[in-house]
Amino acid sequence: MNSEDSEENLETLQEYIDWCFDVIVMKKNQNACSPVKSETPSSKRSRPADSPETTLPTGKSFTDILDSIDKRLSSFDARLSLVEILHREFKSLRESLEFSQQQVETLAAENASLRDSVKSLTENVTHLNEENKKIKETVIDLQARSMRDNLVFSGIPESAEEDAEATVKSFVKTYLKLPEDTVENICFERVHRLGAKKPGTPRPRPIVAKFGYFKQKEQVKSRGRELKGTDFSVNDQFPKEILERRKVLFPIRRSLIQKGSRAVIAVDRLYVDGRLYRDLSTTPWLY
């Protein structure tokens, strides 16, 4: 229903109400001024004021106007009912939205708390990783220090029921060419083959010799140049981690020497022209 129809209905209703008011007033005046007359049924039927079909100034009968008003009111009632339904739906949606908003705020607060917790845990893990790295490096360093007086002899033939210490002394005297009296004075704390013997393996197990005196160990090691061109070798003993690091450093050292630099490997560190070589991609243990 548009605004023009509403105004037309209101005007019609107003005209009807005004007309009814005028009729009632005229009747009262007539009754007050005129004698009472008996009325016959025919005279009653002939009175235009009592006829429901009396035509209004607008050209419409009372019945038509009433029917029209009833239809309009019914339409208004339907629309009001729809408005009430929509109002209830809107109220429900608003309550649902408010509840959802509360949930969002709760989740946001929980998320912020979790984010702080994750940040704290990350910092703790980072700190623990740093501490663990320090502890690991300390253990490796202690292992390396405990092996400081050790030499590993590789390539020496292995025989059943051998005396490892006698085998090493014979090797030192024969291949490293140390005087016999010097060899006899070497003091070992322990000499043994490294690892378990594997049947069917032709390569002999290395021999680890722990010297009683560091100077004697260095004296034997210095004669390692006598083994050049042979299948034998004499090297310091290091923990597994340091051996892996040295494998990385040897090619770098060789390349630097070819370029004319003075490169020296000390345990798991490479020094180039007196300066420590540091490269995150190749020497991450230094960081």
Side-chain angles (χ1 to χ4, degrees):
M1 179 187 298
N2 55 32
S3 59
E4 294 180 357
D5 293 337
S6 300
E7 292 177 357
E8 179 182 352
N9 290 333
L10 291 174
E11 290 177 357
T12 302
L13 183 60
Q14 183 64 41
E15 291 177 357
Y16 171 73
I17 293 172
D18 293 342
W19 183 83
C20 290
F21 179 79
D22 292 341
V23 169
I24 292 171
V25 171
M26 290 175 65
K27 275 189 173 184
K28 286 184 177 181
N29 293 334
Q30 290 176 358
N31 290 335
C33 299
S34 303
V36 178
K37 296 181 179 180
S38 61
E39 296 180 349
T40 62
S42 59
S43 64
K44 290 182 179 180
R45 286 195 299 271
S46 63
R47 292 179 61 184
D50 294 338
S51 176
E53 297 299 328
T54 302
T55 302
L56 295 173
T58 58
K60 296 182 180 180
S61 65
F62 291 149
T63 302
D64 292 338
I65 293 174
L66 292 175
D67 289 342
S68 176
I69 292 174
D70 183 63
K71 291 179 181 180
R72 301 295 184 185
L73 292 175
S74 298
S75 177
F76 284 145
D77 290 340
R79 292 176 183 272
L80 287 174
S81 299
L82 179 60
V83 169
E84 291 178 356
I85 293 173
L86 293 175
H87 177 71
R88 288 195 298 269
E89 292 293 332
F90 176 77
K91 183 179 180 181
S92 176
L93 288 174
R94 184 176 61 186
E95 292 175 352
S96 177
L97 180 61
E98 291 176 352
F99 178 74
S100 298
Q101 184 65 26
Q102 292 177 354
Q103 287 186 319
V104 169
E105 292 176 355
T106 302
L107 291 175
E110 292 177 354
N111 183 56
S113 178
L114 289 174
R115 185 166 57 249
D116 293 338
S117 299
V118 170
K119 182 180 178 181
S120 177
L121 289 174
T122 302
E123 292 175 351
N124 290 336
V125 169
T126 302
H127 178 70
L128 289 175
N129 286 337
E130 293 176 354
E131 292 296 324
N132 182 59
K133 181 180 178 181
K134 292 179 180 178
I135 293 173
K136 183 178 180 180
E137 290 299 320
T138 300
V139 171
I140 293 174
D141 181 66
L142 291 174
Q143 289 178 334
R145 291 178 182 275
S146 69
M147 298 176 179
R148 182 172 178 267
D149 298 327
N150 296 2
L151 283 179
V152 179
F153 297 84
S154 301
I156 300 177
E158 186 174 355
S159 60
E161 304 299 330
E162 71 175 356
D163 182 345
E165 183 175 332
T167 300
V168 170
K169 285 187 175 182
S170 174
F171 176 82
V172 171
K173 182 172 59 176
T174 303
Y175 291 94
L176 299 181
K177 298 181 174 56
L178 281 176
E180 185 174 354
D181 58 341
T182 302
V183 174
E184 290 300 326
N185 290 327
I186 294 176
C187 178
F188 293 107
E189 291 188 10
R190 187 182 180 191
V191 182
H192 63 91
R193 291 278 179 178
L194 187 62
K197 186 175 182 179
K198 297 180 180 179
T201 304
R203 186 177 181 83
R205 292 175 295 166
I207 297 177
V208 179
K210 183 177 181 61
F211 289 77
Y213 300 99
F214 180 75
K215 288 184 178 181
Q216 290 181 344
K217 176 244 184 179
E218 288 295 305
Q219 185 181 20
V220 173
K221 178 184 174 182
S222 66
R223 305 292 293 180
R225 60 180 179 275
E226 300 293 337
L227 301 177
K228 188 175 182 180
T230 68
D231 295 331
F232 305 112
S233 64
V234 178
N235 298 289
D236 289 300
Q237 186 185 25
F238 295 107
K240 179 181 178 181
E241 292 82 359
I242 291 181
L243 289 175
E244 292 176 351
R245 295 172 183 178
R246 288 170 66 88
K247 287 181 181 179
V248 174
L249 295 177
F250 277 123
I252 300 174
R253 173 179 175 269
R254 188 182 308 111
S255 175
L256 292 171
I257 290 175
Q258 291 175 353
K259 295 178 180 179
S261 300
R262 185 170 60 88
V264 179
I265 295 177
V267 189
D268 60 347
R269 285 165 171 73
L270 174 61
Y271 293 90
V272 182
D273 297 327
R275 293 185 178 182
L276 179 63
Y277 175 85
R278 293 169 62 93
D279 186 341
L280 183 59
S281 62
T282 55
T283 57
W285 58 88
L286 298 178
Y287 293 86

